[in-house]
């Protein structure tokens, strides 16, 4: 009877000949990206949910800013206030809500500091318990993360207010317009990419703020080309949020923090890991060097290439030789 029950509940599994071998592991940082999305999507969803939860006050502030400014626009269109009054009120409302938004950006310290540790464990292929490691990340990374976000929020406040000032007053002086846009340009192409490398270092290296920031600027300058691609992608993702629509801000804002931001941070974290391997880990932090993926030897590359050809042709896989 017992034997019959066992045979009745027997589970059959089929594995590839290369499963549980080094050839089945990701072999580069970009392969890690797909591997994490495929096998650790539940972790990514948890991080995305935390980003969205703490970003909701910021999105709400954007919503109310649009509502109040559009209300002043309606008053002007109905000739209840003059254009000069509209300019003054719109500037005050914009500054007031940008100040609130800058403060609300600091709330992202909690999800970002915790998620930075989770990203580190995913990228390095280390054991992960989400709740425990997220809380540990908040405790260990919150200070430097807060300082980095403080710089970002101040740059956001100054840049957005000056750009809005230039647009709403429609100044004819080219020099004045350039001066208004200069902080936004410097923030976008100097501070922001430096902060990306700064945040990527926080969960890995026990350095001071100054040392991490110095290293971050060095990495940005040395790898300027690829870093610029990430900057353009990040800035382009924020452009739809500049459309003054009370519906559009929710349609774009929520997916931005729930979908784009976690994926972007994972992609940049993997690229930063490649940069750190090239410029730092290979010399000073050998325990982190190429950790999280299996770099192939020339022989293994040939074996993997032959197996892919055999799979396409429907043939048998070539077994990995034992060393």
């Amino acid at each position: 009877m017992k034997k019959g029950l066992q045979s009745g509940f027997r589970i059959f599994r089929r594995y590839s000949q290369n499963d549980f071998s080094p050839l089945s592991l990701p072999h580069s940082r970009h392969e890690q990206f797909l591997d994490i999305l495929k096998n650790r999507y539940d972790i990514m969803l948890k991080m995305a949910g935390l980003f969205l939860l703490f970003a909701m006050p910021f999105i709400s502030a954007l919503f109310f800013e649009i509502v109040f400014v559009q209300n002043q626009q309606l008053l002007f269109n109905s000739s209840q206030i003059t254009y000069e009054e509209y300019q003054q009120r719109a500037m005050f409302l914009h500054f007031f809500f940008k100040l609130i938004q800058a403060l609300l950006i600091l709330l992202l310290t909690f999800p970002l500091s915790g998620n930075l540790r989770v990203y580190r464990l995913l990228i390095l292929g280390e054991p992960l318990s989400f709740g425990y490691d997220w809380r540990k990340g908040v405790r260990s990374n919150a200070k430097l993360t807060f300082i980095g976000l403080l710089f970002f929020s101040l740059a956001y406040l100054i840049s957005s207010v000056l750009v809005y000032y230039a647009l709403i007053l429609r100044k004819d002086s080219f020099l004045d317009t350039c001066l208004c846009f200069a902080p936004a340009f410097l923030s976008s192409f100097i501070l922001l990419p430096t902060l990306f490398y700064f945040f990527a270092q926080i969960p890995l290296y026990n350095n001071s703020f100054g040392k991490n920031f110095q290293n971050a600027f060095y990495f940005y300058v040395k790898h300027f080309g690829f870093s610029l691609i990430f900057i353009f992608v990040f800035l382009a993702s924020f452009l739809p949020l500049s459309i003054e629509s009370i519906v559009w801000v929710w349609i774009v804002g929520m997916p931005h923090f729930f979908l784009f931001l976690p994926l972007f941070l994972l992609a940049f974290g993997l690229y930063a890991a490649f940069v750190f391997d090239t410029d730092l880990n290979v010399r000073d932090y050998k325990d982190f060097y190429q950790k999280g993926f299996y770099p192939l030897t020339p022989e293994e590359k040939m074996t993997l290439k032959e197996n892919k050809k055999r799979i396409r042709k429907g043939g048998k896989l070539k077994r990995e030789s034992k060393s």
Side-chain angles (χ1 to χ4, degrees):
M1 181 68 178
K2 186 176 181 180
K3 183 177 180 180
L5 286 174
Q6 287 179 341
S7 62
F9 288 90
R10 187 176 301 166
I11 299 174
F12 296 93
R13 296 181 178 90
R14 301 180 66 181
Y15 299 106
S16 167
Q17 294 178 0
N18 279 329
D19 279 352
F20 313 113
S21 74
L23 291 182
S24 66
L25 300 173
H27 310 305
S28 62
R29 295 298 181 190
H30 72 268
E31 287 187 16
Q32 267 193 288
F33 181 81
L34 298 177
D35 184 73
I36 290 172
L37 292 185
K38 178 181 178 181
N39 299 310
R40 309 307 297 271
Y41 61 90
D42 55 328
I43 300 295
M44 293 297 298
L45 287 174
K46 290 176 182 178
M47 289 194 291
L50 286 168
F51 273 129
L52 180 60
L53 176 65
F54 283 89
M56 287 300 290
F58 176 82
I59 300 174
S60 300
L62 285 174
F63 169 79
F64 284 111
E65 178 189 354
I66 295 172
V67 170
F68 279 87
V69 172
Q70 285 186 348
N71 183 51
Q72 297 305 312
Q73 180 72 46
L74 291 174
L75 291 176
F76 168 69
N77 292 339
S78 61
S79 301
Q80 297 183 44
I81 59 174
T82 64
Y83 184 68
E84 289 73 19
E85 289 177 319
Y86 164 72
Q87 285 181 318
Q88 293 175 359
R89 294 182 184 184
M91 273 302 305
F92 171 78
L93 289 171
H94 188 75
F95 174 78
F96 175 75
F97 280 103
K98 290 306 175 188
L99 178 60
I100 292 177
Q101 291 161 22
L103 294 174
L104 292 175
I105 286 174
L106 299 178
L107 284 178
L108 295 177
T109 298
F110 295 101
L112 183 57
S113 59
N115 288 350
L116 282 176
R117 175 172 173 79
V118 177
Y119 279 123
R120 168 209 161 138
L121 299 176
L122 290 174
I123 291 171
L124 298 184
E126 297 179 350
L128 169 62
S129 174
F130 184 81
Y132 169 79
D133 286 304
W134 188 86
R135 291 190 296 271
K136 186 174 181 180
V138 172
R139 291 193 297 269
S140 58
N141 302 331
K143 181 180 177 181
L144 289 179
T145 304
F146 177 82
I147 296 174
L149 284 176
L150 181 61
F151 275 87
F152 177 77
S153 63
L154 288 173
Y156 171 81
L157 174 63
I158 296 170
S159 301
S160 58
V161 168
L162 288 179
V163 168
Y164 192 80
Y165 175 80
L167 293 175
I168 196 170
L169 293 183
R170 301 175 184 176
K171 300 183 73 64
D172 296 328
S173 172
F174 178 75
L175 179 60
D176 289 345
T177 303
C178 288
L179 290 175
C180 288
F181 278 87
F185 179 84
L186 294 174
S187 299
S188 300
F189 296 102
I190 302 288
L191 178 63
L192 189 59
T194 303
L195 284 176
F196 284 160
Y197 285 106
F198 171 79
F199 288 131
Q201 291 177 87
I202 289 176
L204 291 170
Y205 311 113
N206 189 23
N207 294 331
S208 64
F209 169 83
K211 184 64 175 177
N212 276 344
F213 202 85
Q214 178 184 349
N215 288 343
F217 185 73
Y218 167 78
F219 293 139
Y220 169 51
V221 173
K222 184 174 181 181
H223 301 273
F224 179 76
F226 279 102
S227 301
L228 206 59
I229 294 174
F230 280 100
I231 290 304
F232 280 126
V233 171
F234 185 80
L235 293 176
S237 71
F238 272 95
L239 286 179
L241 288 175
S242 63
I243 300 175
E244 294 187 353
S245 169
I246 58 177
V247 177
W248 189 252
V249 71
W250 292 108
I251 294 176
V252 176
M254 293 180 68
H256 182 276
F257 286 97
F258 185 74
L259 296 176
F260 171 79
L261 189 59
L263 293 176
F264 177 85
L265 291 177
L266 175 62
F268 186 83
L270 288 166
Y271 175 71
F274 163 77
V275 170
F276 299 158
D277 283 342
T278 305
D279 298 335
L280 196 62
N281 296 340
V282 67
R283 182 183 66 252
D284 299 325
Y285 298 92
K286 295 186 182 296
D287 290 343
F288 291 154
Y289 181 66
Q290 292 188 338
K291 188 175 181 181
F293 69 97
Y294 181 81
L296 294 174
T297 63
E299 294 79 11
E300 289 170 332
K301 288 182 180 179
M302 288 298 298
T303 301
L304 189 63
K305 192 174 182 180
E306 290 178 12
N307 283 343
K308 289 181 178 179
K309 290 181 179 178
R310 291 169 186 267
I311 290 173
R312 285 196 294 266
K313 294 179 180 180
K316 293 184 178 180
L317 298 180
K318 180 180 178 180
R319 292 184 180 274
E320 179 188 5
S321 59
K322 295 182 179 179
S323 56

